[in-house]
Amino acid sequence: MTTFDTTLTPAELKLDISKLFLKKRLLGFALPAAVLVYLAYVFVAFDVLGLWEKASLENARTLVSDSYSYKTHVTRDNRNGAVSVSIEGERKGAYPDGTAPDWVTLGEAGETTVIDLEDGHTVTFGPETIEYAIPGYGTVRATPSRSAGVQAELPAGDVPDWISVSKNRLAVKTGAGRLTVTRNRAEVFRYFTGWELFFFTLDSPYYGMGAGELLQRAATGEAGAIFQEFWTNKMWRHQDVAWAIAETLLMAFLGTIGAGIIALPLAFAATRNFMPFRALRFAMRRLFDFFRGVDSLIWTVVLARAFGPGPLTGALAILVTDTGTFGKIFSEALENVDRKQIEGVASTGAKPLQRYRFGVIPQITPVLLSQLLYFLESNTRSATIIGAITGGGIGLLLTQAIITQKDWEEVAYYITLIILMVMLMDWFSGWLRRKLITGGSGPAKRKAAKAQEGSAFLLP
């Protein structure tokens, strides 16, 4: 609060007030100006314009479209003329020999195969030459040869940017599909919206059945077989994904709960009101600082050298980091306990251990439970990243899918599952927190739970 000298004359007082207002205006201008200067420095230091120029919007569009679509590959081996069709180019998604979708007319080995890409776009695999008829442009021809490479014939005029031609490769990319021709093979990609083969693969007896027919089959006693076909899907690996999510949750649970169990007794040694030895108290607090000062990702790398990759390493990394964090939180909670309750328990003749059990623990239980459940929710997300490093959980599958840069719909699938897992843990931790702290979920009890959470010692 600003005070003024009462002995000043009105003119002097007015001058002081003017100076005060001028100082406040300058301060109000200086803070936004400092922020703008800092942002300008960041803009130049990180070369934002250069990064924007290097960005490829075309690659971004392709990435986004790949997350909700799939490619059907029609591939011809130029050495023997054999043609195969598969989803995403994988053997697990290959059509049986001699079969293909209705937009592909297969010919025998060495004969003509016609691929209808719709809207007038047609690719023909001839005995010697591959042709792509493009409406409004003309026909692109390519003759692959082991000795002469790929001989391409294009309509007269400049080569458009959606056609790439070299001695050994021809690539044509249109809105209807893609054609790539090399010495050894010719391949056509056609995109479709959706996650194909998500429920059943092509070799499953239930592939292509509608929901009504599947329900009818399930009602006649085939429910177990239908679920087994879905559960063991070789393309989407639902069984492996479910186990990976379980590993991620297990890492978060073991690390968080284990850290809470270890940190609680150690926290007593870091408090002024329970530990009279200052040196031991100082050492314990610095130990907590050391544990929580090193990020869990660093502990993951360190522990992986000792224990090898796996979910156990991830759980231990979370345990070490959270032991330091919980030790700090619990020790602060212990320093704020009410001594009267402890004295009341002591007046009954209780021993020191009983005083802690009945006079201290009930006071800090809301803080303990709130923090454990909050960190369990947070560590569920952290376990995803840790799993990518240690080789366990859904993080490993996500990393593998990103590295291959082939099936981005699988990346979208894993990210969706991670978001759902975090949402579920958020709901579960909130529900459990209300149950354990207030014993129910009525309006009054929810209000009490919020009050308890607000009094918790949260760390940034």
Side-chain angles (χ1 to χ4, degrees), residues 208-262:
M209 292 186 181
E213 187 175 359
L214 287 173
L215 291 175
Q216 189 177 16
R217 291 287 191 94
T220 58
E222 297 185 35
I226 294 174
F227 177 77
Q228 185 66 18
E229 287 289 328
F230 167 79
W231 191 242
T232 58
N233 187 311
K234 296 186 294 293
M235 286 283 288
W236 291 86
R237 301 184 298 167
H238 300 299
Q239 185 176 12
D240 295 338
V241 171
W243 176 248
I245 291 178
E247 280 188 343
T248 301
L249 293 174
L250 185 63
M251 278 193 288
F253 181 82
L254 289 178
T256 306
I257 302 303
I261 294 174
I262 295 173

Side-chain angles (χ1 to χ4, degrees), residues 143-219:
T143 304
S145 170
R146 297 297 299 275
S147 58
V150 177
Q151 301 177 3
E153 299 178 22
L154 306 178
D158 296 334
V159 178
D161 56 4
W162 43 270
I163 295 180
S164 175
V165 185
S166 65
K167 179 181 178 181
N168 297 315
R169 186 175 182 270
L170 169 68
V172 182
K173 179 182 178 182
T174 67
R178 299 183 187 181
L179 168 66
T180 303
V181 182
T182 61
R183 293 183 179 186
N184 296 326
R185 68 177 185 176
E187 192 167 22
V188 172
F189 306 154
R190 184 177 178 185
Y191 282 85
F192 294 89
T193 302
W195 292 350
E196 181 67 350
L197 308 183
F198 182 80
F199 294 100
F200 307 107
T201 52
L202 292 169
D203 58 355
S204 171
Y206 303 105
Y207 174 75
M209 292 186 181
E213 187 175 359
L214 287 173
L215 291 175
Q216 189 177 16
R217 291 287 191 94

Side-chain angles (χ1 to χ4, degrees), residues 107-123:
E108 298 294 335
E111 297 183 1
T112 300
T113 294
V114 179
I115 304 165
D116 182 10
L117 298 179
E118 294 186 347
D119 299 326
H121 291 257
T122 304
V123 177

